[in-house]
Structures are given as structure tokens and as C-alpha cells.
Amino acid sequence: MSVHKPTLQFVFGRMFDDLSANYGGVMISIGHRLGLYRLMAETGPLGCDAIAERSGCAPRYIREWLASQVAGGCVAYDPASATYRLTPEQAAIFADHSSPTFLAPAWQCVAALWAGEERTLEAFRTGQGVPWGEQDQRMICGSAAFYRNCYAASLVPQWLPALPGMVERLEAGSAVADVGCGHGYSTLLMAEAFPNSRFAGFDGDPGSIAIARSLAVERGLAERVTFAVCDAQELPGESYDLVCFFDCLHDTGFPVASALAARQALKSGGAAMIVEPFASDRLEDNVGSVGRTFYAASTAVCCAHAISEKGSHVLGAQAGFAALREVLDEAGFDSITLAAETPFNLIIDARA
Ligand SMILES: C[S@@+](CC[C@H](N)C(=O)[O-])C[C@H]1O[C@@H](n2cnc3c(N)ncnc32)[C@H](O)[C@@H]1O
């Protein structure tokens, strides 16, 4: 077996790239929040002063910000005309809010990790947890915004059809629970796609539920979509054709009890759909930028929340299918299959 031993130069180069990404990430967030990427995507090539004028920002700041963008490959520059523009690929990542590759808001999560550093240090030293709702709000909004577009690209066209019989059931009219729904983007997407069905989103964080409710009203869905503060283990006594967990089963301190509550709430022939961050079962197979990102969030956020619940498990965001299957098996599901996967998610179909 050959063992790859990276040189000092290689490791230093990679770490400097990371450092540059962190500096650059702040600039990306600033460009996103000031609407600079959107402006450039809508207008085509513009000079520095025109961008400053149209954005209402100070020209000297814009000039330096544009230089940082060109240096980082985020904005294209034509030296002959001294103009800046976004290529379609750059627009898909920085300007198009509905693109599945829209990454600009994800930098909010990085800012939140830094903002929470002192609390994380304390948690390492004391072993205490940090509840999800006590994270810097940028973590909550940034992760909701990041996953929103992943769900928009995959949930209705790919994931639900991967659960045999589920689309027909939803089209005919079903009851659906979305456990740990956060801001409720997954709930609202399903509600928009299946007008004959009713949807109930539940989350332990009151702040997230308040946002989910206002989004339901904004989208004219409040009659068919309800949101309530509720622990995953204590679903109200209704029964559902589909119970979903999006990126949250691993966060709960009692995943077996939460999965059991879901199983007990299922109608005959119903399914639980568990969507988890993509991970292989072994650490050595999770080496790379997706694993590194998810393990970092898992350390400071997901494990911290599960620990705060003082429960039976702290699965972490990189649990992998084998560990998740064990939890679902313990909760009494008879059939547990990996229905689909993407670079960011595993989609599990569990039936009683
Ligand atoms: C990473 S967020 C995912 C939110 C949303 N499902 C999404 O995909 O954007 C995890 C969510 O699980 C919720 N959560 C964690 N433990 C919970 C529990 N025991 N009961 C209910 N919700 C819980 C958190 O409040 C948080 O909103």
C-alpha cells in the first residue's frame, strides 16, 4: 500500500489557499450583501466608477473590492477597456439566488463559526453543549439559505420520486410532517408542488418557527402549511403519510426516540425520509473539502447541539449510512434503504 506523504511546500500551499479563501470570503459576503454581484450580472461589463455610481457605494472601496474579486477569480476583468463583468458561471455562484450552486450566503456560516469561537472553546473545556438557537443567527440563516437551493434542485424532482409510491400519494392528498424544519424551506417547497396535501413543520427553536410561519404567509400557503414549536420526540398525536427529517436527525440528542416517534406517527404504507449530510462510513473516506466543511460545522454546531440535549447519542453531521441505519433499526423500522445521494446529501427511505 503506498502512503502519500505531502511535502511541506504542498501543505503550506494548501493552507495559504485556505487563508486566502477566508479573507476572500468576507469580500464575497460584502459583495453579496451590497448587491454588487447582482448588479454586475444584470448590467454586463462596467467600469469601476459606473459600478460605484449604480450601487451607491464609495468609488475607492469599490475599486479595491473589485481588485480582490479579480485576484480571486470571482469577477472577470478586461484590461483593455478597464471593465468588470460576471461570466455566467460566476453569476451562478454569486448572483443567481435560485441557482443550486449559489454559494454567497454560505459565508454567513463561516462568520458565525468565528463569532462563536469563544463559546466553542468553552464547550471543549467544559464538555457542555450549545443549543442550535443560541448560535449566531448567521449560522441559522446561512445554513437555511445554503440548503434551500439544494432542496429546490433535488427534493421534488429527484428525492421524493426515489421513495416508491410517494409522489402518487402526495398528488392524491396526504399529510406530511417535516421534523426539525428550521425556516421551513423544505416544507414550503413540498407544499407548492403538492396542492392536495397538508404539511406540518416542527422545530425545537422558536425563532426558526416564527420565520417559517411568516414565509408561509408570504407565499400564500398558510392554510395548508402549519408550523409549531415541538421536540422531535413529541410529535402531536396525528398520523402522516410522510415524515421527513432534513439535516436534523443527527442534531437531536435522542435520534432513536425521534425516529421512533416518526415511525409511530406513520399511516399504513407511509415512509420516513431522512435527509442527512453526505458522508461515507469511515473517516478515511471523508477526506476532502465536503468532509472538512461538514466536520467543522459538526464540531461547533451539530455535536454542540446534541450534547446540549443531554441525550443518548451525539451522532455528528458525518455519521454515514451505517450509523444512521443502526439508529433507524433500533427505532423499529423494518426496511431502511439508501434511496438517493448527492455530493451534499444522503437520502434514506425508512418504512415500518
Ligand atoms: C441544521 S438545522 C436544519 C433545518 C432545516 N431542516 C433545513 O434543512 O434547513 C437543524 C434543525 O434541527 C432542529 N432540532 C435539533 N434538535 C431538535 C429536536 N430535538 N427537536 C426538534 N428540532 C430539533 C434545530 O432547531 C434546527 O432547526
Side-chain angles (χ1 to χ4, degrees):
M1 190 174 95
S2 79
V3 178
H4 172 61
K5 188 167 178 293
T7 61
L8 173 64
Q9 198 180 11
F10 175 84
V11 178
F12 185 82
R14 272 206 59 190
M15 290 306 108
F16 199 84
D17 281 350
D18 284 356
L19 197 56
S20 147
N22 270 275
Y23 276 73
V26 179
M27 294 297 110
I28 290 172
S29 182
I30 283 172
H32 166 56
R33 295 181 65 189
L34 290 172
L36 298 174
Y37 295 116
R38 269 200 140 164
L39 169 71
M40 283 191 284
E42 282 162 15
T43 54
L46 285 178
C48 216
D49 288 344
I51 294 173
E53 195 186 323
R54 292 188 192 207
S55 64
C57 293
R60 186 63 189 89
Y61 281 107
I62 289 292
R63 192 171 109 203
E64 210 67 6
W65 177 82
L66 282 166
S68 81
Q69 298 305 293
V70 173
C74 307
V75 168
Y77 176 57
D78 175 27
S81 57
T83 56
Y84 303 82
R85 70 184 173 89
L86 287 188
T87 65
E89 294 75 20
Q90 289 164 336
I93 289 167
F94 300 115
D96 178 356
H97 289 214
S98 63
S99 156
T101 55
F102 181 54
L103 281 181
W107 287 97
Q108 299 294 304
C109 300
V110 183
L113 287 179
W114 281 113
E117 189 186 13
E118 293 308 316
R119 184 111 193 242
T120 305
L121 281 170
E122 192 190 320
F124 267 71
R125 291 182 178 127
T126 62
Q128 298 298 305
V130 183
W132 172 257
E134 291 180 22
Q135 292 287 341
D136 186 289
Q137 282 301 305
R138 286 171 292 182
M139 174 57 68
I140 298 176
C141 295
S143 78
F146 172 72
Y147 272 121
R148 178 185 62 202
N149 290 1
C150 295
Y151 299 158
S154 304
L155 172 55
V156 173
Q158 287 159 22
W159 298 348
L160 289 170
L163 273 53
M166 190 49 69
V167 168
E168 294 75 7
R169 232 171 142 127
L170 293 169
E171 279 169 351
S174 285
V176 178
D178 188 354
V179 181
C181 63
H183 289 183
Y185 288 119
S186 48
T187 332
L188 297 169
L189 267 172
M190 292 188 285
E192 274 161 357
F194 299 104
N196 294 329
S197 290
R198 302 186 67 79
F199 297 82
F202 301 104
D203 199 283
D205 175 35
S208 294
I209 287 297
I211 291 175
R213 281 184 180 143
S214 64
L215 287 170
V217 172
E218 211 175 272
R219 295 186 186 193
L221 292 167
E223 279 200 7
R224 279 188 305 114
V225 184
T226 57
F227 289 105
V229 177
C230 172
D231 191 276
Q233 298 174 76
E234 291 158 10
L235 288 184
E238 280 172 49
S239 47
Y240 301 98
D241 300 86
L242 175 66
V243 179
C244 313
F245 293 81
F246 290 94
D247 190 26
C248 70
L249 187 64
H250 69 270
D251 287 310
T252 67
F254 296 91
V256 175
S258 303
L260 177 66
R263 180 175 70 73
Q264 288 172 337
L266 283 181
K267 288 183 186 170
S268 163
M273 178 168 69
I274 298 94
V275 176
E276 280 285 304
F278 178 88
S280 298
D281 295 326
R282 303 180 315 166
L283 168 59
E284 54 271 38
D285 297 327
N286 290 329
V287 173
S289 43
V290 174
R292 187 184 187 198
T293 304
F294 285 163
Y295 277 123
S298 181
T299 307
V301 183
C302 309
C303 289
H305 177 83
I307 291 169
S308 80
E309 291 198 2
K310 298 182 170 50
S312 57
H313 288 63
V314 180
L315 283 170
Q318 290 289 268
F321 180 57
L324 294 162
R325 186 174 45 201
E326 253 179 55
V327 163
L328 295 167
D329 188 51
E330 217 182 305
F333 283 98
D334 291 329
S335 153
I336 303 157
T337 50
L338 186 59
E341 62 179 68
T342 71
F344 296 122
N345 287 110
L346 298 174
I347 295 86
I348 301 171
D349 177 356
R351 313 260 174 161

